[in-house]
Amino acid sequence: MGDDPMTTEPLMEILAGWPGRWRYPELATALAGGHPLDGLGAAMRVLSGLADPVTAAGGIERLIAVGEFQLVDEVLTGEDASAGGEITPEGLRKLHEKLAEARRAARADIELRQATLAERARRAEVRPAPLPDLMELAQSRLADAQELLDGELEWIVAEEERVAEELTGRLSTAAASEAHRSAVQACIDAGEFPTARRLLEAGRVDMDSGGPSSVPRPPHWDSSLGTTLEEILLRYTPDSAQPQRSNHARFIDVGDSGQEVVEALRHLSAHMDEPNVGTFATVLGRMLGEDVRPLVATHDGGFQTTLLGLDDARLPGLQVTRRTGIPLWVAEADAPPPADLSRPLVWFVPAALRTEAHRPPGTAVLTAPDLLCLLARPPQGAQSGPASRRVNLLRAIVPQLIAPPTGLAGITDASLGIDLNSGASPRETLAWLLDLCGVAADAVVVDTLEYETGAHPLAAWVLLDRLLSEPPADRRLTPAELDAVRSNETRGLIRGRVTARLGAPERAVLGIAYTLHRDASFSAADVLTDVSLMGLDEEETDQAVQHLAPETVLPRLAGEALLREHPDGYATLGSGLGEVIAEGAENMAGRALRELVAQADDAEAAMMAMLAGQALVQVGHRSDNIVMGTQELLDALADEPDPDARARLLARIRENVARLSGGQYRRAFEELQRPPEECDLTDLVRKLGRRVEWQEGIEISLRGDGAGGAAVHAVRALLELALENLLVNAVQAMRKAEIPAERQEVSLSVRGTERDGPEDRPGPWNIVDIEDAGPGLTREDRARLLRGDTFSKHGSGGTGVREAREIVRRFGGAIEILPGSELLGGAHLRVWLPRTATDPARTRS
């Protein structure tokens, strides 16, 4: 029967429509698989079900448990959903819920396995072939997705073995110390191949420093020393010859500096007031190597002062190790530090035992026994002194400051990150940081953390914050704990944090660098050439190239430690941080370039609007002067009896009226839109001075050093507008101050110089000095100008000094606000403009 296809096919049809098949999960699975099933095979599966009988609902639950989701889905939504009436409506509802929950669990399992395998592949420095959509596959039949991942694992393990063999071979021939070789081998054994490769390529890494192990921890407090602070302090006498129990001797023999702290503590416990708190804070700082008396303030039932001396070149830059110290709150256990006191802070409670007082976030509580433990004599041969006490004090307070919910934010500024290059090597600094947090780490973990973060402050902050948010119960970090936080989410957080402060040009250049130049150095010119490869159309590419400015962006990225300088230009990071940036580099570059194009469009629209506004102001101002002149001509016409003279006046009036046509707005707008050109600055200033002199009716003198033909590359109409604004502002200042008409004067001068200009920018320069006979600038006026505020609240003939400064900056210049005019006694503004290569004055020299 099993070999006869004529009997197999009818059998399959009968079994496939049999409602009772769901009580036999193996049979139902075989029937759904589409493979031929003979009588013997069917009988074996039925017998298997008879040996372990279940209901139809129980059979479907088993199918759910083994991941046959699509089969169960067809059952629960098909014609025989109730399995021939064996499953009640309530039973169907529960099966639907179990199916949905099983699918969620299967998806989470596949995602976790995928992420784990991707991380292993990354560390093995291989790129597996793309797999089909495992999420979709897992939602239909979990076993198929798991089978693909099992195959992936087998392939990656083989690659890991190959890489481990390669690195072990390199290590066998490397010239390295035994400590260095052990570190590399530990990384190879842990599967941290990129870290092992970095150690090999480094040639030699400092493995000989004592690090945290060089500073012994203080002893635990011995409660037999006393139950009250007064009783305890009686044991700390200056007479070292007084016999002590052997287990107390280490506590009592505190030396001269320790005895000074004990005496200050004795006075403080007897009477807590400002002088005693000040003395206590002073000797506490002296114990840590800082001899300064901090200020003391009394409020809210306690005393606020400063704890100094926790800074140390070996340690990372933390808020608790600031050179200026951190707040120290001295008060009893029932007087916690006020909420407005800056954190982190140390709350010293002069009590014998640690109380259960509420400890606000960002606060570390230090009791008298905690402090006395720091004074205890170290083991024979161990280091002693301020540096050791400083470390042990930090060991006491840092774990409290990073306790949930504060985390690393309790000791660091998340926006600045953790500086691992503060003095010691990043590797040693990491070891110190973990030690201060109360965590011990395998050497391979420390080396891997340094590699994966690239010692970048923000990357280190993200990874360590996730790693330390829930440290293991034994407070020891191994590669397993590090693996637990390695995920796409963590890598995305790091990538987002290190690029968050970058503008569109920086993100575009960074993305291009990590997309196209991971293995070779590159220059600013290469970046501009690469823009055409980033998926923009031709017009967008041209706009992006015009606004990218990689020659100024690349040094900024190197300053942010996201690129490194190279003899041939720049190069990407070889650390794990470089890999993280590279993962999202192409998308980041594309988005940033399109953002840059959009900004360019917006800037162009804004510029057109600004030009239109400037044209309106410029033409409006000149129109006012034309109207005034026309009014004067009309008055003269009314009083003129001579026909020939009247005809000449009428001709001038007609000429002025023609100048008021709408065409002047169009011409002004066109002039402002013209591209930059070589402008004769002396000629421009001379003509501008004459026009403003005629418009305003005041005397404007022009001085110079003979630098005729001084050339500036600029839009002539814009440069005129900027200088006209400054001239009109000077006139208005004199009129506002009611300077007599005969004393109203403005001086203009044009000269050249070869010396450095503003901000030490190299010359040569053209200089235009504008001085007036007004009241000059008050300190407040100068402050407003330096902040970029408008020069005058009383109106302006142009767009103000702020806008004039922006125009001059566009042409590479600057406006300097000098203290006053030695010539006329009023204000003195100096305009710096780059002298171009075609300047005749330069050519002659």
Side-chain angles (χ1 to χ4, degrees), residues 54 63 88 106 110 115 134 200 217 238 298 395 412 506 558 597 662 668 701 743 828:
V54 293
L63 292 174
T88 64
I110 294 300
L134 292 178
L200 277 171
R217 292 181 176 273
T298 306
R395 282 169 169 168
T412 63
E506 285 80 7
V597 169
S701 59
R743 288 178 48 202
H828 186 177

Side-chain angles (χ1 to χ4, degrees), residues 760-784:
D760 298 325
R761 291 161 57 190
W765 295 90
N766 288 315
I767 295 176
V768 180
D769 283 296
I770 302 174
E771 302 174 68
D772 63 57
L777 296 170
T778 66
R779 182 177 299 177
E780 291 74 16
D781 289 333
R782 286 175 52 80
R784 284 200 300 270

Side-chain angles (χ1 to χ4, degrees), residues 512 523-532 541 544-546 548-551:
I512 290 172
S523 65
D526 294 328
V527 173
L528 290 177
T529 302
D530 294 337
V531 174
S532 62
T541 298
V545 167
Q546 290 175 13
L548 200 55
E551 65 280 354

Side-chain angles (χ1 to χ4, degrees), residues 299-300 337-343:
H299 58 91
D300 295 291
D340 60 352
L341 200 58
S342 64
R343 265 61 171 178

